[in-house]
Amino acid sequence: MNTDTPLKIGGLTARLPFIQGGMGIGVSLGRLAGTVAKEGGIGIISAAQIGYREPDFDENPLGANLRAMHTELAKARELAGGAGGGVVGFNIMVAMKHYEEYVREAVAAGADIIISGAGLPTELPKYTDGSEVRLAPIVSTAKSAAVILKYWDKKYKRIPDLLVIEGPTAGGHLGFTREQLGTFTPDVYEQEVSEILGIVEGYEEKYGREIPTALAGGIDTPEKVRRAFALGVDAVQCATCFVTTEECDADLRYKQAYIQAGAEDICIVKSPVGMPGRAISNDFLRRVDAGEKIPHRCHQCLHHCNPAEIPYCITDALIHAAKGEVDDALLFCGADAYKAERIETVHEVVTRLFSE
Ligand SMILES: Cc1cc2nc3c(=O)[nH]c(=O)nc-3n(C[C@H](O)[C@H](O)[C@H](O)COP(=O)(O)O)c2cc1C
C-alpha cells in the first residue's frame, strides 16, 4: 500500500488514502468535510451537537441536530462535487444520547459512511440494516478490536467496511485510561497496532475479503504518513492538522489558539463524564481546576452524564470553542496541535502530506 494508492471501502473510492477525522462540536461540519472530499480524501462531519446554531437548539436539541445533519451533509456534497463526487460521512459517538436516532438520520440523509467511536458501536449494523452506508468502528486497543470484530461476526455475520485505529496522541476524547496514556509511548503503540492488524487478518481470512484500516493520532507530516503505511495500514485519519485551515468550520480564534500554543500548553483533562481528553490549557481549565462550578442547563448530549454532579457542561464548553469564545472554552486538540504555525488551506495541507 502506498501513500498515493486510492482507498477502496466496499465499492466507494477516495482518490487519496486519508480520512479527515470528525471533530465536534462544530469543528468539522459541511464546509471542512466537503472541501476535504473535493481534495480526494474522505470528509467527515461530526454529528455531536451539530445543530448548535439552530434557533431552537436550547429547547429542542435533538430536533435541531437531526435537521442540521441534512443541511451540513448537503453542503458537504455540493462542495465535494455533487452525487458521484467525493466521499462524505458522519462521525457519531456511541456515548451520545439518542445515538440510534443520529445513526438512522445519517442513513436517511444519504451519508456514504458512518465512523463511530467513544464506546464500541456494537449495535451499529442493526440501526443501518437494509442501507448501503459503510460502517467503520474506531478502536484504540487490541482488546477493543477483538471485542467489536467478534461481536459483529457472531451477531451480524459481518465485518466492518473500515476499521479506524486511534492512538494515544489523538485529539478529543481518548479511548485510553490515564495509566495507558503513560505506558503507550509511540513505539509501544506500534506493537499494539501490529496486534490489531493481526486480529483483523483473521477476520479477513474468514470472510475472504479485506478490511481496510486507517491509523489516527498525530499524523501531520509526510514522514508520519509513510511510517503509518509501513506499519501495514491502508489509510490515515488526520484531524488536528485540519483545524488550522481556512475551511475548518470553527471560529478563527479557535484556530489561533492552536497557533499560539506551546508544547507545554497541551494537557490531558478529565471531561465531566470521566473520560480523558486532550486540550489546550487556558483560563477556563484553570478555573475548573480551582474548583469553580460553571452554571449550565442540560443539552442532552452524553449518556453517562449527571447534570447535578458535573463541574461544567461539555456541550457549553465546546460550543464556546467553536464560536471562538476561547476563555470560556474547552479547546480540544491533538498532542501536536502546538506545531501549527499558520492558517493554511485544505489543499495546502493535503498537498504537503500526500504529494510525495
Ligand atoms: C478538536 C477535535 C475534536 C474531535 N472530536 C471528535 C468527535 O467528536 N468524535 C470522535 O470520534 N473523535 C473526535 N476527535 C478525534 C479525531 O476524529 C481524530 O481521530 C484524532 O484527533 C486524530 O488525531 P490527530 O488529531 O492527531 O490527527 C476530535 C479531535 C479533535 C482534534
Side-chain angles (χ1 to χ4, degrees):
M1 218 26 96
N2 264 316
T3 59
D4 58 359
T5 306
L7 174 60
K8 290 191 193 307
I9 302 174
L12 287 177
T13 304
R15 210 165 63 244
L16 289 171
F18 83 93
I19 301 147
Q20 158 262 307
M23 292 180 278
I25 294 171
V27 182
S28 71
L29 298 178
R31 184 169 181 220
L32 177 60
T35 313
V36 165
K38 182 169 138 248
E39 290 294 332
I42 296 185
I44 298 294
I45 298 166
S46 164
Q49 304 291 45
I50 184 172
Y52 81 96
R53 293 177 295 196
E54 298 285 304
D56 58 343
F57 177 72
D58 278 345
E59 300 76 46
N60 177 20
L62 177 62
N65 289 335
L66 296 177
R67 197 178 321 123
M69 287 177 78
H70 288 261
T71 17
E72 294 301 329
L73 187 69
K75 200 186 295 172
R77 278 253 181 268
E78 195 184 329
L79 285 168
V87 181
V88 286
F90 284 101
N91 175 294
I92 308 180
M93 293 189 292
V94 179
M96 276 159 65
K97 271 192 183 137
H98 307 294
Y99 174 72
E100 177 178 349
E101 284 97 323
Y102 291 126
V103 168
R104 291 190 186 280
E105 205 69 18
V107 172
D112 296 319
I113 184 165
I114 295 173
I115 299 185
S116 199
L120 284 177
T122 47
E123 308 314 323
L124 186 55
K126 179 164 89 192
Y127 305 151
T128 54
D129 194 25
S131 85
E132 295 253 292
V133 70
R134 278 60 167 194
L135 305 182
I138 304 174
V139 298
S140 288
T141 59
K143 190 173 163 203
S144 53
V147 169
I148 194 70
L149 284 161
K150 184 171 174 189
Y151 191 90
W152 281 20
D153 174 38
K154 279 230 147 82
K155 185 154 181 199
Y156 299 108
K157 311 266 174 287
R158 68 163 289 169
I159 47 179
D161 298 299
L162 166 78
L163 189 74
V164 177
I165 304 169
E166 195 179 75
T169 54
H173 283 120
L174 302 166
F176 301 93
T177 60
R178 261 181 193 263
E179 295 69 50
Q180 284 174 320
L181 287 173
T183 46
F184 276 128
T185 58
D187 283 353
V188 174
Y189 195 66
E190 288 192 358
Q191 290 163 29
E192 192 75 11
V193 173
S194 302
E195 212 177 307
I196 295 172
L197 295 180
I199 295 168
V200 167
E201 236 175 77
Y203 286 91
E204 289 178 326
E205 275 162 25
K206 178 167 181 185
Y207 282 79
R209 191 152 54 85
E210 278 187 25
I211 305 173
T213 49
L215 185 60
I219 302 173
D220 53 4
T221 63
E223 294 73 33
K224 289 185 185 175
V225 172
R226 281 198 294 273
R227 178 79 200 144
F229 281 88
L231 293 175
V233 296
D234 306 285
V236 291
Q237 173 167 296
C238 313
T240 294
C241 60
F242 286 110
V243 172
T244 43
T245 60
E246 262 176 53
E247 296 92 344
C248 165
D249 292 273
D251 187 272
L252 179 62
R253 286 165 289 183
Y254 189 165
K255 305 173 190 181
Q256 283 165 341
Y258 274 39
I259 295 171
Q260 284 154 12
E264 67 287 356
D265 297 319
I266 312 290
C267 59
I268 298 293
V269 295
K270 188 170 144 199
S271 101
V273 288
M275 290 186 250
R278 185 172 275 111
I280 300 179
S281 170
N282 62 353
D283 256 18
F284 173 76
L285 286 178
R286 282 185 283 276
R287 292 198 321 262
V288 171
D289 268 354
E292 193 177 316
K293 296 254 184 291
I294 298 169
H296 52 82
R297 65 185 286 182
C298 179
H299 302 285
Q300 303 286 315
C301 63
L302 298 172
H303 271 307
H304 299 291
C305 179
N306 178 350
E309 283 176 5
I310 52 171
Y312 65 93
C313 164
I314 192 156
T315 284
D316 284 342
L318 292 174
I319 290 176
H320 282 307
K323 288 181 172 171
E325 295 153 359
V326 292
D327 291 338
D328 294 312
L330 176 59
L331 298 167
F332 267 159
C333 69
D336 288 340
Y338 69 95
K339 291 185 181 162
E341 287 176 348
R342 64 185 178 88
I343 304 287
E344 298 175 279
T345 60
V346 165
H347 178 74
E348 285 173 314
V349 174
V350 174
T351 310
R352 181 160 58 74
L353 294 183
F354 295 96
S355 66
E356 291 160 45

